[in-house]
Amino acid sequence: MPPTLYWRLFHLSPIIMLVGMAAGGLLIIRSILVWGVEDTDYPFGIDIPIAAVVLAVWGCVIAALLTPSRSVLARRDGVNESAALVWPLGRRFRVWMVIAAPVCGLLAAMTPFPIPVALGWDPEIPASLLIGLPFAIVLTVSSVALVWMILRGVMHGVEITPTHLVARGYFVTRRYPRDAIVSVNAVTLKWWPNLVLSTLMKSEVEHTLQLSLVGGKEPVLYAANSHEHDVEVGAEIVRAWRQGAE
């Protein structure tokens, strides 16, 4: 894939992920209604094959985004003429979040309902303000957070440009000027972010990247979490890139 096309798709990836989420959610819901629910009359419709085709095309585009050419990858010697992806950083959960997108579409479709149900908007279900409403709020917030994470799945990780390091984490993107970075280190997460991320990702999260900046700040890049070897390789790439500014 030409670098220009790749970068366009990369920056449009949240919309692409949304398409996969919508197609996957529709396909799962309609399949359950047509073939998984007994004693109901939900006919097979043209929307099912259309959703399947869209999901297949989406899968091809995502596969291309997850196998970038060398022209868009950061070099280990730090010599990059333009923006480049430090692919090892964040790799551990990047694929997982993409695979989860179609199933997450089902979750997104259910997100608007818990709070209204707890408030008693459904006349057949009594309101439950004491227990049901707090639970519904937590469930809704968690669902929205998960959907937001999945939308950022392809972009998750670290990018270096001639002037900045860009860390696209689970929820926000942070930019660090190249000349403000003093050192780069592979570190083990402290117990509380380890616990939060491990619970969120349903898998042990231990290693990531930490920067030391001019002024004494030492931000931890949760966008960079991966296996220890990946983080070490990523740190080497970022160090070489940083030294190129000296």
Side-chain angles (χ1 to χ4, degrees):
M1 182 185 297
T4 302
L5 177 58
Y6 181 89
W7 283 114
R8 286 178 181 173
L9 292 177
F10 180 83
H11 292 296
L12 288 173
S13 63
I15 297 176
I16 295 172
M17 291 290 284
L18 183 61
V19 171
M21 196 179 296
L26 175 61
L27 185 61
I28 293 172
I29 292 172
R30 288 287 285 124
S31 298
I32 292 174
L33 291 177
V34 173
W35 295 294
V37 180
E38 298 180 357
D39 301 326
T40 56
D41 184 19
Y42 289 99
F44 179 91
I46 190 64
D47 58 326
I48 294 179
I50 290 176
V53 170
V54 171
L55 194 61
V57 173
W58 172 85
C60 293
V61 174
I62 290 298
L65 284 170
L66 293 180
T67 53
S69 63
R70 290 188 177 183
S71 58
V72 300
L73 297 181
R75 295 172 50 174
R76 296 189 72 159
D77 61 6
V79 180
N80 300 283
E81 297 180 356
S82 59
L85 298 174
V86 187
W87 199 247
L89 298 179
R91 174 160 51 189
R92 181 176 181 185
F93 296 109
R94 191 181 296 124
V95 175
W96 180 91
M97 288 191 287
V98 168
I99 294 175
V103 178
C104 193
L106 177 61
L107 177 64
M110 299 170 60
T111 298
F113 298 105
I115 293 179
V117 170
L119 291 174
W121 290 11
D122 187 337
E124 298 182 359
I125 302 177
S128 178
L129 301 182
L130 184 60
I131 298 177
L133 183 58
F135 178 77
I137 292 174
V138 171
L139 182 61
T140 300
V141 171
S142 300
S143 299
V144 171
L146 181 59
V147 169
W148 182 252
M149 286 173 54
I150 298 300
L151 291 180
R152 296 171 58 87
V154 173
M155 303 174 71
H156 177 74
V158 175
E159 173 190 345
I160 52 178
T161 74
T163 58
H164 286 78
L165 181 148
V166 183
R168 296 187 176 90
Y170 295 105
F171 300 106
V172 298
T173 297
R174 301 189 184 280
R175 300 171 63 89
Y176 301 95
R178 183 178 184 176
D179 55 9
I181 300 174
V182 177
S183 64
V184 181
N185 300 291
V187 298
T188 301
L189 290 178
K190 295 181 180 179
W191 71 268
W192 67 267
N194 186 314
L195 177 63
V196 172
L197 289 177
S198 297
T199 302
L200 199 61
M201 306 305 292
K202 303 299 182 183
S203 182
E204 190 69 17
V205 179
E206 292 185 351
H207 303 282
T208 193
L209 212 63
Q210 185 176 38
L211 305 179
S212 293
L213 305 178
V214 173
K217 291 185 178 180
E218 296 185 332
V220 176
L221 306 186
Y222 299 110
N225 65 74
S226 189
H227 296 291
E228 183 176 10
H229 175 71
D230 283 348
V231 177
E232 291 286 356
V233 172
E236 179 184 336
I237 293 172
V238 177
R239 287 191 195 105
W241 165 80
R242 185 193 66 82
Q243 291 169 359
E246 296 178 350

